[in-house]
Amino acid sequence: MQTSPVFNISDKVTFLDGFAIILIVLYHTLTHNLSTPGAEFLLKYIRTIGLTLFTFSAGMKISINHDQELDNKEFLKRYFVKRFSRLYKPYLGYTALIFLPVYLEMYIAKYYFNSNYAGVSRYWSSLNIYGIFNLMLGSNFVSSHLWYLPFLIIITAFCFLLLYFFEIKGLFLFFIPLLIFDLIYWNYLENNLLYLALKYIPIYIFGIYYAYNKEYELYKKKQYIISFFFVIVFLISLIRINSSIFNYDLILYGLTFPPLIILSSQLLLTIPYVNDFILTCGKYSFQIYLFHVPLLLHPINELASRFMNIEYSSIPYFISILTIFASIYVYFICKKLEINSIFE
């Protein structure tokens, strides 16, 4: 009797990242193709789920790679400096790299192809001290999706402070009061990155906990219980779509969906082509995240939907896949030209 292969945690985390970046690219594609059947339904879920997967995965990676060092204060100080550089360098570097190409892209689209691009005027109106200051803090007028990088720095800083003063067990003990605080002040935590980060911190801590206690191992009961809870919550959301409980969808899905994906990966990783595609996306998830918007997705989408006049309902999914591979290819070009050091 042939037994199914058991994949290691590295494969599962890569799968998690791959699944997340596919959802994020699809989200950005569908926002430009709202007439696509099912677009509104998908947009309701995939952005939240994609971002929570990334946040959960970031917590898992720290715990997997450094579980024996998380109570070491010297390590925490050194690692945070390194982590800050690894997140903030691409934030600034990628912004500088695409500044002129994206401007030219928008200019040509607006003035030569009559596309509705407001970004051209926004560029020049933001080139002042106030605009640059906001860019440094995460409000990026060149590429708005980059907000997640300084956002992740805030989350990491908060959790590392807890680790520094209370160690790993103290971090886990803070999970419940942080969750309660979020639920009480949920509607007030939308104004800026700092407040929004408070919503995601429990998911990040859960990722650390999940890896630290090796909850990802096959046949652990908690995985099945949490996964089952996600299915129940999701089915209820379909039936009672306007229920007030789903104001907290970020927490509901962020604490239940990642374990389901990890559990499902054991099966999905055995499927040819699906395995290769998702693992490739996971391996280059950060590069795909950087390059897919606005540099590649917008012109690819415009070419397919406007100039080629393609209107099939499947076109956003085709555009998403094409954008993913184009992002990887452009990254290889940057690496070949040795300009990847700007953002890596």
Side-chain angles (χ1 to χ4, degrees):
M1 180 178 177
Q2 187 176 6
T3 58
S4 59
V6 177
F7 298 96
N8 61 39
I9 186 55
S10 178
D11 289 330
K12 293 180 180 181
V13 171
T14 303
F15 184 90
L16 203 69
D17 287 341
F19 199 91
I21 196 61
I22 291 169
L23 292 180
I24 294 300
V25 174
L26 180 59
Y27 171 81
H28 287 138
T29 305
L30 287 173
T31 56
H32 295 282
N33 296 273
L34 293 175
S35 61
T36 302
E40 291 188 10
F41 171 80
L42 287 171
L43 288 173
K44 174 178 168 53
Y45 296 102
I46 60 177
R47 180 178 183 271
T48 297
I49 288 175
L51 290 176
T52 56
L53 282 178
F54 269 137
T55 306
F56 179 89
S57 173
M60 279 196 73
K61 289 173 189 173
I62 288 177
S63 193
I64 291 168
N65 296 326
H66 305 287
D67 63 325
Q68 300 300 317
E69 301 167 290
L70 291 179
D71 286 336
N72 185 318
K73 293 186 178 183
E74 288 303 314
F75 164 79
L76 292 173
K77 288 189 287 187
R78 291 194 310 270
Y79 186 83
F80 179 73
V81 172
K82 182 179 178 181
R83 183 71 170 161
F84 179 90
S85 175
R86 288 182 63 183
L87 291 171
Y88 204 62
K89 182 182 178 181
Y91 177 78
L92 294 180
Y94 178 71
T95 299
L97 181 67
I98 68 166
F99 183 89
L100 283 178
V102 170
Y103 175 77
L104 290 173
E105 176 188 298
M106 291 189 299
Y107 187 91
I108 292 169
K110 181 175 182 178
Y111 293 107
Y112 289 91
F113 296 104
N114 298 317
S115 295
N116 184 24
Y117 270 109
V120 175
S121 58
R122 185 183 73 242
Y123 253 53
W124 298 117
S125 64
S126 299
L127 282 177
N128 50 55
I129 294 176
Y130 182 73
I132 299 300
F133 180 74
N134 282 335
L135 185 148
M136 300 290 286
L137 294 179
S139 181
N140 195 311
F141 64 87
V142 179
S143 188
S144 59
H145 79 293
L146 294 179
W147 66 271
Y148 188 75
L149 297 181
F151 171 79
L152 200 54
I153 290 172
I154 295 170
I155 293 176
T156 306
F158 187 93
C159 290
F160 272 41
L161 279 173
L162 291 177
L163 282 168
Y164 188 86
F165 290 107
F166 303 103
E167 300 185 339
I168 190 71
K169 291 182 180 179
L171 176 71
F172 295 154
L173 288 175
F174 268 94
F175 174 84
I176 296 299
L178 279 170
L179 189 60
I180 293 172
F181 175 87
D182 281 351
L183 295 177
I184 293 174
Y185 295 101
W186 193 262
N187 293 329
Y188 301 96
L189 302 177
E190 294 287 354
N191 296 331
N192 56 43
L193 287 183
L194 179 60
Y195 290 156
L196 184 60
L198 290 172
K199 289 185 175 183
Y200 280 83
I201 286 170
I203 299 169
Y204 187 82
I205 294 175
F206 186 48
I208 296 174
Y209 170 85
Y210 208 81
Y212 190 83
N213 289 284
K214 295 181 171 52
E215 298 294 346
Y216 53 77
E217 291 181 349
L218 208 57
Y219 308 126
K220 279 226 171 179
K221 289 182 180 179
K222 287 181 184 177
Q223 280 198 93
Y224 291 94
I225 293 171
I226 296 171
S227 300
F228 178 75
F229 185 70
F230 167 80
V231 173
I232 296 299
V233 169
F234 181 73
L235 290 175
I236 293 174
S237 74
L238 295 179
I239 299 169
R240 301 188 61 188
I241 197 166
N242 294 319
S243 174
S244 60
I245 192 174
F246 294 104
N247 292 333
Y248 310 103
D249 57 350
L250 190 154
I251 288 292
L252 287 171
Y253 298 136
L255 299 180
T256 59
F257 190 67
L260 174 63
I261 290 299
I262 292 173
L263 191 62
S264 303
S265 67
Q266 185 64 32
L267 170 63
L268 294 174
L269 281 169
T270 64
I271 303 175
Y273 303 113
V274 172
N275 173 343
D276 293 339
F277 177 63
I278 297 181
L279 288 182
T280 298
C281 290
K283 182 179 178 180
Y284 296 104
S285 59
F286 188 69
Q287 290 80 6
I288 296 168
Y289 164 76
L290 286 181
F291 281 100
H292 80 284
V293 286
L295 189 65
L296 297 173
L297 176 58
H298 294 171
I300 290 173
N301 184 74
E302 196 76 8
L303 178 65
S305 61
R306 180 184 176 95
F307 302 120
M308 295 178 67
N309 199 29
I310 301 174
E311 297 182 353
Y312 296 115
S313 60
S314 61
I315 195 62
Y317 308 100
F318 170 76
I319 291 171
S320 297
I321 294 171
L322 186 59
T323 301
I324 285 170
F325 284 113
S327 299
I328 298 172
Y329 184 71
V330 170
Y331 167 68
F332 284 155
I333 293 175
C334 290
K335 198 170 182 180
K336 186 74 173 178
L337 296 174
E338 297 184 350
I339 59 175
N340 60 308
S341 59
I342 297 173
F343 55 85
E344 285 189 324

